[in-house]
Structures are given as structure tokens and as C-alpha cells.
Amino acid sequence: MPVGTVDQWVVNAADPAALARFWAFVLGGEPVVRDDGWALIEGTGGRPRISFQPDPHPRTAPGRIHLDVRVDDLVGATEAVVGRGASRVGDVVTDEEGSFQVLRDPEGHEFCLVVPLAR
């Protein structure tokens, strides 16, 4: 039996509102900007909320956790998020689990677009 469930993922951000808009484009939903500087995207369909908290400190290293975003069209999805400010990290990788493209969001947080093989 689990101790709990994921309530929300929290991401440190120099510009929480801009990052919430980027991730709302990627994952869907409407970004909400709070008066205290935080921004968020409410989870839908059983997904947890993603919140963006103000953090003035610059990123100095890659994060040790990242999101994998399942897509149907890896090339099309990659082009769409790059058009919104993401950047590619290397080439598409294909292995026994499927294919994925590593990217960085506009503030440098790594994430992957993935097309997994049928499980």
C-alpha cells in the first residue's frame, strides 16, 4: 500500500508565468498566475497539478528528475515545442522501449517527448 499519491509537481522558475504558459501548450490546460508569483496548471484526467514557484537563483546543473511526455508524432511534437521556445538536446534515440527526444524547456529544464512501444 502506498504512503500517498502525487498531489503536484513543483518546478523552480525564474519566470513562473512564462513557464506555465509553455507547459500548458505542451500538456494542455490553462495557466493560472497567482498574486504571490506562483503559476500553475491544474491536473485533469487524473494527472497531478504542475506548479511553478519563483526562484531567482540560476540553474547550474541539469535536474535529477524530468517529465516524459507521451506523444503520437515525435517529429511533429518536437517541432511544435521548439517553436514555443524548447531546445533539442542531441538526436532522437530509439531503443527497446521506443523512441524519445530529449529537450530543454525555455528555462533549461530537461524533458523528453516519447513514443513508447506498446506495453
Side-chain angles (χ1 to χ4, degrees):
M1 178 188 229
V3 171
T5 60
V6 175
D7 178 54
Q8 67 179 331
W9 293 101
V10 179
V11 177
N12 291 9
D15 186 345
L19 215 50
R21 286 190 299 273
F22 172 82
W23 282 103
F25 171 77
V26 174
L27 299 173
E30 290 296 320
V32 175
V33 179
R34 297 187 344 200
D35 291 339
D36 60 2
W38 283 63
L40 60 95
I41 305 163
E42 285 293 351
T44 59
R47 293 181 295 180
R49 170 192 287 183
I50 300 177
S51 292
F52 305 89
Q53 71 178 353
D55 183 355
H57 301 99
R59 292 192 71 250
T60 58
R64 300 207 42 174
I65 190 168
H66 69 269
L67 295 177
D68 280 358
V69 178
R70 182 185 293 239
V71 298
D72 294 324
D73 174 5
L74 190 56
V75 172
T78 298
E79 292 303 319
V81 299
V82 167
R84 291 290 182 116
S87 58
R88 289 179 185 86
V89 177
D91 296 324
V92 171
V93 175
T94 300
D95 61 18
E96 65 276 358
E97 294 292 318
S99 297
F100 63 94
Q101 173 68 61
V102 179
L103 298 116
R104 287 193 180 99
D105 73 14
E107 289 198 11
H109 302 100
E110 287 189 353
F111 68 100
C112 294
L113 297 178
V114 301
V115 179
L117 294 177
R119 296 183 207 182

